[in-house]
Amino acid sequence: DTAVSQTPKYLVTQMGNDKSIKCEQNLGHDTMYWYKQDSKKFLKIMFSYNNKELIINETVPNRFSPKSPDKAHLNLHINSLELGDSAVYFCASRQMGGIAGYTFGSGTRLTVV
Amino acid sequence: QQQVKQSPQSLIVQKGGISIINCAYENTAFDYFPWYQQFPGKGPALLIAIRPDVSEKKEGRFTISFNKSAKQFSLHIMDSQPGDSATYFCAASKSASGSRLTFGEGTQLTVNP
């Protein structure tokens, strides 16, 4: 039973298209995150939601828009995709204030051609 | 600026040897220091974590050593095995609400049989 699941796992699309990535967690956590892993494997936070409220919004182009319909789901919509958006996007969740660490999904590899 | 610096970038160890990965942090407000292990095509998975009130934590073959005054912490993998070959990330965060994990750059560990 997957704890943090992301769909799709792979996404290949052309420049200028709009795409969405979905994330769901069944851990009962109240906080979810989007991280971007670049070609050098560096992990950088993009957004975080706590109980559907946006609490972290890093310097990310406004072409990226997260949405959290409930605390178990966090989606990422990307408009007007650019070559530089190619990366692996990871969803993660945790219980705010808890001692346990973050649980990551298996990632979505986005390739913009 | 990079708040968590990790070294080395890559490490090759013989089976049975000791793997050591080092990290240094800048923000003295950090109070949670986890290590994550990432296999190709997978998301980072929590390996072991430490808080600054202890200087060492051991779980099986994995040990974190923590030096609060030097703002450094390290991961030691004893009796390294080929199955340990992966990318390892140190990270740091504050427990406070709204915190995020700040990752090091990652270390690609290869354990030769």
Side-chain angles (χ1 to χ4, degrees):
Chain A
D1 199 20
T2 306
V4 180
S5 59
Q6 295 178 230
T7 55
K9 187 167 177 63
Y10 300 97
L11 188 52
V12 181
T13 187
Q14 291 188 326
M15 276 198 314
N17 283 352
D18 303 339
K19 290 294 178 185
S20 292
I21 306 171
K22 296 186 176 183
C23 179
E24 176 181 4
Q25 56 95 3
N26 62 6
L27 297 167
H29 290 165
D30 60 2
T31 306
M32 297 182 72
Y33 303 81
W34 280 112
Y35 275 81
K36 179 180 180 180
Q37 186 170 49
D38 62 24
S39 58
K40 295 184 179 180
K41 295 194 175 180
F42 185 65
L43 283 156
K44 191 173 190 305
I45 191 166
M46 300 174 69
F47 302 103
S48 176
Y49 272 77
N50 176 255
N51 281 321
K52 301 194 296 178
E53 180 186 351
L54 182 65
I55 58 172
I56 295 174
N57 186 351
E58 287 295 286
T59 309
V60 176
N62 57 16
R63 298 181 294 103
F64 290 78
S65 53
K67 279 192 172 58
S68 181
D70 56 61
K71 71 175 187 177
H73 295 84
L74 179 61
N75 304 322
L76 183 65
H77 188 75
I78 315 170
N79 290 325
S80 303
L81 277 154
E82 300 177 358
L83 292 176
D85 297 332
S86 296
V88 182
Y89 293 85
F90 285 101
C91 177
S93 72
R94 72 181 284 243
Q95 184 63 28
M96 188 64 73
I99 59 173
Y102 291 48
T103 302
F104 283 81
S106 57
T108 295
R109 180 174 293 278
L110 172 65
T111 304
V112 182
V113 297
Chain B
Q1 69 275 29
Q2 184 61 30
Q3 291 195 56
V4 180
K5 295 188 177 180
Q6 183 172 345
S7 63
Q9 191 173 15
S10 63
L11 181 61
I12 300 174
V13 173
Q14 291 299 118
K15 179 182 175 181
I18 302 174
S19 304
I20 302 174
I21 305 171
N22 300 300
C23 281
Y25 64 97
E26 298 173 4
N27 190 339
T28 54
F30 287 148
D31 60 1
Y32 175 69
F33 302 89
W35 284 88
Y36 281 81
Q37 179 188 56
Q38 185 180 25
F39 292 105
K42 302 291 186 184
L46 180 64
L47 191 61
I48 186 172
I50 198 168
R51 294 196 179 269
D53 51 348
V54 296
S55 60
E56 186 175 283
K57 183 174 181 180
K58 183 176 181 179
E59 289 184 3
R61 296 183 294 109
F62 301 91
T63 300
I64 300 179
S65 296
F66 186 82
N67 185 331
K68 188 175 181 178
S69 61
K71 293 189 288 185
Q72 294 175 347
F73 58 111
S74 60
L75 176 69
H76 291 63
I77 306 174
M78 311 299 288
D79 187 26
S80 298
Q81 299 296 312
D84 296 331
S85 297
T87 302
Y88 291 80
F89 294 93
C90 63
S93 74
K94 295 179 275 188
S95 300
S97 177
S99 66
R100 86 281 302 272
L101 267 179
T102 299
F103 284 90
E105 301 96 326
T107 296
Q108 177 67 54
L109 172 66
T110 302
V111 181
N112 289 327

